[in-house]
């Protein structure tokens, strides 16, 4: 499985990828993007099977990126990894088609719970 | 606008609570509320801030530490082993910006519980100790130790012109 991690923090992308491996999901490949616009480009070039999105990013937010993908008819499984964990934001994520929202700061267990339904 | 959101100390309390949780979950470090002695000077402190807005109030949330402190916190955040090389300054700044971003999310959750309303988070920026000091009524700050290294949390409240 190819996983696209979209976050404006290179350090956070590093930690997300490491946590996925620590959660037991090994053997997958990762591609990265630093904001929603770069993420849209990466969807075209890398064709990911799963997208993990930060919410607040410069140039284009994760929510805007997911909305744009849905408008383009690209139904790629996606979820948020974000510090925006209020019930309102969870609802907005769900309404936009996100399958899960992992709240920062996160644990390995929170990744296991969120990803076991979308990753083999 | 709620009166509660106009109280800098209330925002600071939420920021301390968010750091407590973050230190435990993400860093595996103890957050000690006792001030380091001697306290670092403003010129020695560097960190990051993010704005959170609600109604006509904008609050700058800041997290600062010394150069050594920021390095130690970065190593903890990235789970670097003792034998691994020190991370480059660019990565240290990235980590500190991400930390205030996560703390801001924790503050938002806590403030939503205290004073329900719409809260909007901005994008993190660098913050110097010199620009986050003073005794103005709109500023609240606290010194603490994070895993033994000095840190300062700051909230600066402004009323936005709409």
């Amino acid at each position: 499985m190819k996983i696209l991690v979209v976050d404006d923090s290179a350090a956070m992308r590093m930690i997300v990828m490491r946590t996925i491996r620590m959660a037991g999901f090994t053997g997958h490949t990762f591609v990265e993007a630093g904001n929603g616009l770069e993420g849209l480009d990466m969807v075209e070039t890398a064709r990911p099977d799963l997208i993990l999105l930060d919410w607040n990013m410069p140039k284009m937010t994760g929510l805007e990126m997911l909305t744009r993908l849905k408008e383009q008819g690209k139904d790629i499984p996606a979820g948020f990894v974000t510090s925006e964990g209020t019930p309102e934001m969870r609802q907005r994520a769900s309404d936009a088609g996100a399958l899960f929202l992992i709240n920062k700061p996160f644990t390995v267990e929170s990744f296991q719970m969120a990803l076991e339904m979308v990753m083999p | 606008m709620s009166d509660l959101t106009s109280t800098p100390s209330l925002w600071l309390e939420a920021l301390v609570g968010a750091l407590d949780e973050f230190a435990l979950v993400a860093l595996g470090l103890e957050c000690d509320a006792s001030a380091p002695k001697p306290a670092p000077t403003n010129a020695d402190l560097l960190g990051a801030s993010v704005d959170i807005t609600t109604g006509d109030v904008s609050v700058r949330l800041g997290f600062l530490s010394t150069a050594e402190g920021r390095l130690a916190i970065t190593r903890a955040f990235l789970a670097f082993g003792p034998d691994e090389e020190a991370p480059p300054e660019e990565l240290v700044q990235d980590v500190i910006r991400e930390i205030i971003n996560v703390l801001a999310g924790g503050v938002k959750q806590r403030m939503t519980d205290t004073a329900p309303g719409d809260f909007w988070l901005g994008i993190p920026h660098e913050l110097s100790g010199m620009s986050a000091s003073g005794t103005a009524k709109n500023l609240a700050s606290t010194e603490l130790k994070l895993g033994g290294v000095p840190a300062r949390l700051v909230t600066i409240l402004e009323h936005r012109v709409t």
Side-chain angles (χ1 to χ4, degrees), chain B residues 44 65-74 149-150:
Chain B
D44 288 336
S65 186
T66 60
E68 283 182 2
R70 290 183 300 122
L71 199 56
I73 291 163
T74 297
V149 301

Side-chain angles (χ1 to χ4, degrees), chain A residues 33-88:
Chain A
N35 59 59
L37 276 181
E38 288 180 14
L40 288 174
D41 287 343
M42 196 57 78
V43 167
E44 292 298 322
T45 56
R47 308 262 173 203
D49 305 297
L50 172 67
I51 305 174
L52 300 183
L53 297 154
D54 187 17
W55 194 295
N56 292 312
M57 294 181 286
K59 296 182 181 173
M60 180 182 280
T61 68
L63 187 69
E64 289 166 343
M65 177 183 163
L66 184 57
T67 303
R68 187 77 64 88
L69 286 173
K70 298 295 179 189
E71 287 169 355
Q72 294 173 351
K74 296 187 174 72
D75 200 19
I76 305 166
F80 285 92
V81 182
T82 175
S83 58
E84 295 271 18
T86 61
E88 181 214 346

Side-chain angles (χ1 to χ4, degrees), chain A residues 18, chain B residues 71-72 74-87:
Chain A
R18 187 184 67 206
Chain B
L71 199 56
T74 297
R75 294 186 75 99
F77 188 66
L78 298 174
F80 272 25
D83 297 333
E84 290 187 70
E85 279 185 28

